[in-house]
Amino acid sequence: SQTIHQWPATLVQPVGSPLSLECTVEGTSNPNLYWYRQAAGRGLQLLFYSVGIGQISSEVPQNLSASRPQDRQFILSSKKLLLSDSGFYLCAWSVGRGEQYFGPGTRLTVT
Amino acid sequence: AQSVSQHNHHVILSEAASLELGCNYSYGGTVNLFWYVQYPGQHLQLLLKYFSGDPLVKGIKGFEAEFIKSKFSFNLRKPSVQWSDTAEYFCAVTNQAGTALIFGKGTTLSVSS
């Protein structure tokens, strides 16, 4: 069966520091991968998606970037965090246009 | 731009009451529709989905949803809620390119026993 891992589960970082959140998927090949940010009362905002290694599409211009160095690995990064980057970050995978499956998320607090 | 509207921000019900959560989307073309649920402290989980065929779809835990194309709606229903249904519910639709999901802002359901 397929599983999706995210780490770390929680992270507290000072403003201006770098960020690296990792997501890996097991049990499937060539998945579509997604990064979302969830804010209370605002639903899920799609940040990035990827249909293959090295292929990244950005939905919202911001202080973050994403990379996909391996088929089942998706990384969310920032060179310098802002206070507004605080939030709950979710990684998800899908096969084609099918349903998406979500990871446990990372709670990021920028202080 | 495509959007998804969930009309109820917070719904409070007693056990055994019936539930209907509204969801409307803006795109008129072919879409896939989903309801996700997030129980306290748990992952976002798929509740049910509609791709094509019978517009009345059944999901897990007694939930169902009806796709009404003419109304751009995909409302979630359950005839009798339980305390364990307390959660946040999200409606989602595929974007026009079919590359990602667009989510509504969510509805928090609180069920009292």
Side-chain angles (χ1 to χ4, degrees):
Chain A
S1 64
Q2 300 89 359
T3 55
I4 179 168
H5 304 280
Q6 282 187 248
W7 64 89
T10 59
L11 189 61
V12 180
Q13 292 283 93
V15 168
S17 63
L19 172 74
S20 181
L21 302 181
E22 191 164 341
C23 169
T24 58
V25 180
E26 296 176 358
T28 186
S29 295
N30 197 30
N32 292 341
L33 296 173
Y34 310 85
W35 279 111
Y36 289 90
R37 178 164 54 204
Q38 183 179 13
R42 298 183 62 183
L44 278 74
Q45 179 187 35
L46 177 66
L47 302 176
F48 301 95
Y49 68 90
S50 171
V51 298
I53 296 173
Q55 301 177 60
I56 309 295
S57 294
S58 174
E59 289 293 304
V60 183
Q62 58 208 317
N63 188 41
L64 302 169
S65 62
S67 61
R68 185 170 177 174
Q70 300 180 45
D71 181 45
R72 289 169 287 179
Q73 184 185 29
F74 205 24
I75 297 172
L76 183 69
S77 304
S78 174
K79 292 182 179 178
K80 288 186 178 181
L81 283 169
L82 305 172
L83 284 174
S84 57
D85 292 323
S86 293
F88 191 55
Y89 290 85
L90 289 167
C91 181
W93 70 272
S94 73
V95 176
R97 294 176 62 121
E99 59 267 34
Q100 294 183 15
Y101 299 93
F102 288 81
T106 295
R107 175 76 59 192
L108 171 66
T109 303
V110 182
T111 60
Chain B
Q2 276 183 279
S3 63
V4 176
S5 298
Q6 290 184 241
H7 313 296
N8 313 101
H9 179 61
H10 193 181
V11 173
I12 302 172
L13 295 173
S14 300
E15 274 195 324
S18 63
L19 170 71
E20 181 160 3
L21 301 182
C23 173
N24 288 90
Y25 61 94
S26 61
Y27 176 57
T30 301
V31 291
N32 295 337
L33 297 156
F34 307 86
W35 275 97
Y36 282 85
V37 61
Q38 190 170 31
Y39 298 103
Q42 294 189 26
H43 298 198
L44 207 60
Q45 302 173 34
L46 181 67
L47 199 53
L48 47 78
K49 62 186 178 185
Y50 173 79
F51 287 179
S52 63
D54 188 345
L56 185 62
V57 293
K58 297 192 183 298
I60 60 173
K61 303 185 180 184
F63 285 91
E64 65 179 30
E66 185 175 12
F67 169 54
I68 303 179
K69 189 174 183 179
S70 61
K71 295 184 178 181
F72 299 92
S73 70
F74 190 55
N75 292 354
L76 181 70
R77 301 195 292 247
K78 186 171 183 178
S80 176
V81 295
Q82 300 173 312
W83 176 82
S84 58
D85 293 324
T86 295
E88 192 161 13
Y89 293 81
F90 294 93
C91 181
V93 60
T94 46
N95 63 1
Q96 286 181 247
T99 50
L101 294 181
I102 298 171
F103 282 83
K105 294 183 178 181
T107 297
T108 300
L109 172 64
S110 300
V111 180
S112 58
S113 56

